Amino acid sequence: MVSSVVKLVEEKLKLAYCPTYFELVDNSWQHAGHAGNKMGGSHLGVLMASAVFEGLSTLQRHRHVNNTLKAEMAGSVHALELRLYTPEQFAQLGS
Amino acid sequence: MMMIELDTTHPIGKEMVEELTANKIMIYSKGTKTQPKCGFAMRTAQIFQQVGLPFEMQDVLENPEKRMYLNEVLEWPTLPKIFIDGEFQGGFDILVEMVQNGELEAELKKAFPDTAFSIPA
């Protein structure tokens, strides 16, 4: 079952970043037992390539995304693991 | 990159300016480099041990006032908090990305232009 938070996060990010690559994983099951993860959507991992990140440092990219998801981070999302690339960097990853 | 403005009239702000001036690599963390108290602190220490440059890791777990101050000034809620040459870099996951994307090497070259170091593979 895909939780509604996961769906909402995906929609928000796709809208804000028009990613050329997007992957969202729900790692909540790895944290079973601690608060807020019975429904899933508490521990998320995002891998995303977007032109928005051009010219931004890693810290600035993380801050940008954390800010976009501020409401979710204050609510049910406890941990967000981010891998953020420009389309160009992403293309070079495999090589 | 973020250059933080620290209030030197605040005792903790003053203390941090001294620490960041004395230590080009300064990490506020859970535990110290010899006694890390969480996995992220331990892995952060391992990375900088491999780098081979002097670094300082301060335990702020026992100092809730400083921990709160850091959270507010940096608008960053988690530990560790990693500084290079007085500039806040982020936490452990950002450090790992910086290792991979070449940013760590660039920052360390600026901070230690005359010293050899190695970036972990």
Side-chain angles (χ1 to χ4, degrees):
Chain A
M1 186 190 85
V2 179
S3 89
S4 59
V5 185
V6 176
K7 225 173 168 178
L8 183 69
V9 166
E10 176 166 353
E11 277 169 16
K12 266 198 166 176
L13 291 177
K14 283 186 170 169
L15 194 67
Y17 297 99
C18 303
T20 55
Y21 184 87
F22 185 88
E23 210 178 291
L24 177 65
V25 288
D26 188 348
N27 294 320
S28 305
W29 61 273
Q30 293 174 346
H31 305 269
H34 85 233
N37 52 27
K38 290 197 179 76
M39 309 292 290
S42 66
H43 294 70
L44 304 179
V46 174
L47 171 62
M48 173 161 73
S50 164
V52 176
F53 300 133
E54 270 160 32
L56 299 185
S57 72
T58 307
L59 175 64
Q60 287 167 331
R61 291 173 194 183
H62 280 241
R63 280 191 189 281
H64 207 292
V65 174
N66 285 336
N67 202 42
T68 303
L69 298 176
K70 213 171 191 173
E72 290 71 23
M73 295 296 290
S76 53
V77 180
H78 287 226
L80 189 61
E81 203 184 316
L82 299 172
R83 315 221 128 220
L84 309 171
Y85 303 97
T86 64
E88 200 184 335
Q89 283 176 327
F90 187 73
Q92 286 167 357
L93 274 187
S95 62
Chain B
M1 220 48 50
M2 183 200 185
M3 191 67 98
I4 50 161
E5 297 242 351
L6 289 163
D7 176 10
T8 51
T9 62
H10 190 291
I12 298 176
K14 187 167 178 276
E15 187 179 295
M16 280 182 64
V17 170
E18 285 162 13
E19 288 158 357
L20 295 172
T21 311
N23 303 286
K24 283 195 169 178
I25 302 173
M26 182 73 211
I27 303 152
Y28 298 97
S29 184
K30 296 179 184 172
T32 60
K33 56 181 160 184
T34 47
Q35 270 190 311
K37 292 178 191 163
C38 89
F40 292 123
M42 192 178 74
R43 278 138 79 189
T44 301
Q46 280 169 350
I47 287 177
F48 282 107
Q49 262 145 14
Q50 286 172 14
V51 165
L53 292 167
F55 70 100
E56 181 58 30
M57 203 168 196
Q58 186 182 102
D59 188 6
V60 289
L61 202 57
E62 311 295 329
N63 189 343
E65 213 184 327
K66 190 163 185 176
R67 204 173 156 185
M68 290 294 292
Y69 183 85
L70 280 161
N71 288 352
E72 279 167 29
V73 169
L74 300 171
E75 296 177 69
W76 193 262
T78 54
L79 291 169
K81 290 177 168 68
I82 302 163
F83 286 83
I84 297 175
D85 218 4
E87 285 182 10
F88 178 56
Q89 306 294 327
F92 175 73
D93 54 347
I94 292 194
L95 179 67
V96 171
E97 277 193 69
M98 290 176 75
V99 167
Q100 290 163 355
N101 67 19
E103 258 179 73
L104 183 66
E105 188 177 6
E107 288 303 317
L108 291 175
K109 259 189 190 152
K110 271 195 280 170
F112 299 89
D114 305 316
T115 316
F117 60 87
S118 59
I119 297 295

